[in-house]
Amino acid sequence: MSEKRLAVVTGAARGIGRAIVLELLRQGRIVAGLDIIAEQLGELESTVKEAGSTVVTKCVDITDTAAFTETLESLASEYKGIGILVNNAGITRDKLMMQMKEEDFDRVMNVNLRAAFIATTFALKSMVRNKFGRIINLSSVAAVMGQAGSSNYAASKAGLIGMTKSVAREVGKKNVTANCIAPGFIMTEMTSVLPDAVKDAAKQIIPVRRFGSVEDVARAVAFLAGDEAGYITGQVLCVDGGMAM
């Protein structure tokens, strides 16, 4: 790593986001973790401190454009720009399409896609100026395969793929890359409570016959964030055990 650059991770308080923060810190990055859950951000800070490191945390609602932009501006000002942006924050509001309400659709799109747009447009300013940038968007195999009962979620994650590829074409010549990671069935707090029958059925469509860990995703993010991945852009890396082949 040629120089210290600020890495901003949204949805950093738990699950995949938390693992990404910890992995980037292990690589010696300066990391700012953003989330709306203050208590869990505090727990993340304590974990990092016990490990002898430091993480910057910001409690912010990323759907509040003014507050989100102000947070990004503060970080960029303090650290001379944003070098790495990981748009990880995401929510679900699962229902069959015929039962889905507009607010279910809008809420998921605002968190999963619109907030990533806001963060990306802001971060690109310093990335282009500094002639270095890594944008990594957390999509999903749901965007690649579709997912019954999750049309809003799948649409938001598919939107991230389209946005990522477009950004990659726009700023590649400025030494800024943009890629997506599409996790499959990853064991998190949300998936761990699913009935065993559901989990067993899911394993049958995964060639490696097991679920992934948050660390599997975090390591992929860390690779794309590094200097070694400078010739990789506009790609969708499925971390899914072969589920979406």
Side-chain angles (χ1 to χ4, degrees), residues 136-170:
I136 304 162
N137 293 322
L138 271 290
S139 182
S140 168
V141 292
V144 181
M145 300 173 62
Q147 184 166 302
S150 301
S151 57
N152 50 359
Y153 180 79
S156 69
K157 295 299 187 177
L160 278 177
I161 292 175
M163 185 172 75
T164 300
K165 289 178 176 289
S166 298
V167 170
R169 290 186 181 279
E170 290 178 7

Side-chain angles (χ1 to χ4, degrees), residues 110-191:
N110 285 338
V111 174
N112 297 6
L113 183 57
R114 188 178 186 279
F117 161 74
I118 297 299
T120 300
T121 53
F122 180 87
L124 281 175
K125 298 174 185 175
S126 57
M127 290 178 176
V128 169
R129 182 176 66 248
N130 295 334
K131 294 184 172 56
F132 179 92
R134 298 284 186 266
I135 297 168
I136 304 162
N137 293 322
L138 271 290
S139 182
S140 168
V141 292
V144 181
M145 300 173 62
Q147 184 166 302
S150 301
S151 57
N152 50 359
Y153 180 79
S156 69
K157 295 299 187 177
L160 278 177
I161 292 175
M163 185 172 75
T164 300
K165 289 178 176 289
S166 298
V167 170
R169 290 186 181 279
E170 290 178 7
V171 296
K173 62 186 177 183
K174 301 295 185 181
N175 194 33
V176 178
T177 66
N179 292 286
C180 272
I181 289 178
F185 205 117
I186 306 297
M187 288 306 299
T188 62
E189 295 93 334
M190 184 169 59
T191 56

